Amino acid sequence: MYKAIVIGTGPSGLTAAIYLARANLKPLVIEGPEPGGQLTTTTEVENFPGFPEGILGPELMANMRKQAERFGAEFKTGWVNSVDLSQRPFKLQVEGMGELVAESIIISTGASAKLLGITNEKESMGRGVSTCATCDGFFFRGKKIIVVGGGDSAMEEANFLTRFATEVKLVHRRNELRASKIMQDRARENGKITWGLNRTPLEVISGDKGVTGLKVKNNETGEEEILETDGIFVAIGHKPNTDFLAGQITTDELGYIIVKPGTTMTNVEGVFACGDVQDSKYRQAITAAGSGCMAALEAEKFLDGHMVHDWSKTL
Ligand code: NAP
């Protein structure tokens, strides 16, 4: 039995853990298969305030974890298979740990950027392949970039990346774009953007110094081509990690948790959501951390006077 269980260890979950631990609520933090979250798949983080020289993503996350541990947060590694939020205390079924019980839950399971699933893509993450233009665009000043995708995200990222790159080629598997007209028009009007439509990505080509090209299939001719580039941004959408909730928490049609505006409260009293799992718009480490702080403060306020377990007999 825990007063608060935090599910997920990205910037939002770890910030929530720091605040809960400092409020003496002894949170249990459950780490999934990607401890530290999306920031551990990037290299240098230059936009997190407080680090004028930048900091490596994995190092930033390791620091946040240490900070939470210092104040008494407990960490366990496991996969949350399912939850029962129908009554308090809430129940969680966790792989390898059995059933855990909690007075309150903070969901910070994030969202995962979808990948293409092509050869050498995963191996090149952080070495020329990225899923975040805001995070990594700066490293491609004066270079050639490919953005893969045909939706609004791809248009937005391509436009953004023209601030740094000499050329941004939009590679999309079909001739028609999925993006809204306004976003398409903006991309078409940008002189630095070139188009590689009707091309299906097949393989990331890299050498000693990182990515050098993207092998694609030209769907008109059926032939394979290598498009030369210094970097590849995969912008084919994100998937919020909410499957384990099995519909017990209200989400939008894409699966993002809906919170009461201006708060981290979900439709279930005592269950809070923070970070990318409830944010398809900003998706930044700093906004995630901020919402993690909000979730902890709201959980703390909720627990004050709402406990179902008699904690007076527990040390
Ligand atoms: P999306 O609309 O689902 O578009 C994903 C794109 O990636 C599609 O063009 C899709 O191709 C392509 N794709 C998917 N899987 C692929 C694969 N395995 N290989 C190659 N291509 C693949 O996702 P999104 O662009 O991230 O947008 C998500 C939501 O956020 C949308 O509702 C969007 O309007 C919104 N959004 C809005 C803004 C804005 O208004 N400023 C900015 C970003 C996002 P197909 O077209 O062939 O399926």
Side-chain angles (χ1 to χ4, degrees):
M1 167 71 102
Y2 292 87
K3 290 178 185 163
I5 290 185
V6 178
I7 313 174
T9 55
S12 63
L14 292 177
T15 304
I18 292 167
Y19 273 77
L20 290 168
R22 290 191 78 252
N24 212 16
L25 290 167
K26 296 187 170 55
L28 172 70
V29 187
I30 303 180
E31 271 182 324
E34 197 181 285
Q38 289 183 68
L39 273 195
T40 57
T41 65
T42 183
T43 49
E44 200 84 32
V45 179
E46 292 182 331
N47 54 9
F48 200 90
F51 301 93
E53 306 303 324
I55 182 166
L56 292 173
E59 194 185 342
L60 177 62
M61 299 321 297
N63 285 348
M64 286 191 197
R65 193 184 192 282
K66 263 189 244 159
Q67 198 171 344
E69 274 181 315
R70 181 179 150 216
F71 295 111
E74 182 187 346
F75 284 79
K76 284 188 176 171
T77 302
W79 180 259
V80 180
N81 282 324
S82 63
V83 288
D84 178 2
L85 307 176
S86 59
Q87 57 181 27
R88 294 183 52 231
F90 305 120
K91 296 188 181 78
L92 293 83
Q93 300 298 332
V94 187
E95 188 110 26
M97 278 179 241
E99 184 172 275
L100 300 178
V101 184
E103 300 265 10
S104 69
I105 295 179
I106 291 183
I107 303 169
S108 48
T109 44
S112 304
K114 291 190 207 158
L115 292 179
L116 294 160
I118 59 175
T119 307
N120 200 25
E121 179 187 32
K122 272 202 175 141
E123 295 81 345
S124 304
M125 293 296 295
R127 294 181 184 83
V129 175
S130 169
T131 53
C132 178
T134 324
C135 322
D136 298 328
F138 198 68
F139 303 115
F140 292 87
R141 269 168 301 172
K143 305 225 162 142
K144 281 172 78 170
I145 296 177
I146 283 176
V147 173
V148 181
D152 282 338
S153 292
M155 303 303 121
E156 192 168 70
E157 303 236 326
N159 267 317
F160 175 75
L161 288 166
T162 58
R163 295 186 197 181
F164 313 101
T166 50
E167 180 199 321
V168 176
K169 186 183 276 297
L170 260 163
V171 172
H172 177 44
R173 61 187 174 185
R174 295 184 297 131
N175 248 337
E176 297 77 38
L177 297 168
R178 181 178 294 277
S180 56
K181 187 169 178 318
I182 185 166
M183 299 292 278
Q184 288 193 33
D185 288 349
R186 214 170 282 164
R188 286 190 201 285
E189 283 159 16
N190 189 324
K192 277 191 177 178
I193 295 180
T194 61
W195 299 85
L197 297 178
N198 236 340
R199 306 283 197 286
T200 300
L202 296 175
E203 183 181 344
V204 173
I205 311 291
S206 52
D208 295 345
K209 291 190 181 146
V211 167
T212 56
L214 177 67
K215 189 194 274 185
V216 295
K217 183 179 162 203
N218 180 329
N219 294 324
E220 273 158 33
T221 63
E223 284 177 7
E224 290 183 3
E225 300 167 353
I226 291 181
L227 308 174
E228 282 181 18
T229 188
D230 302 304
I232 300 169
F233 284 78
V234 180
I236 60 171
H238 284 77
K239 187 183 180 309
N241 301 315
T242 48
D243 287 354
F244 71 101
L245 297 169
Q248 293 173 78
I249 294 286
T250 308
T251 64
D252 66 13
E253 69 279 8
L254 296 173
Y256 288 92
I257 292 176
I258 295 174
V259 291
K260 196 172 151 206
T263 78
T264 62
M265 295 173 198
T266 69
N267 61 305
V268 177
E269 221 192 357
V271 179
F272 305 86
C274 51
D276 286 11
V277 75
Q278 50 86 54
D279 171 22
S280 60
K281 189 174 175 190
Y282 299 105
R283 295 181 184 144
Q284 299 302 298
I286 190 69
T287 50
S291 70
C293 161
M294 287 165 65
L297 294 178
E298 283 163 2
E300 192 185 334
K301 192 167 172 212
F302 167 78
L303 289 171
D304 193 14
H306 275 86
M307 306 261 200
V308 287
H309 179 71
D310 180 4
W311 289 92
S312 62
K313 297 186 186 78
T314 316
L315 277 180

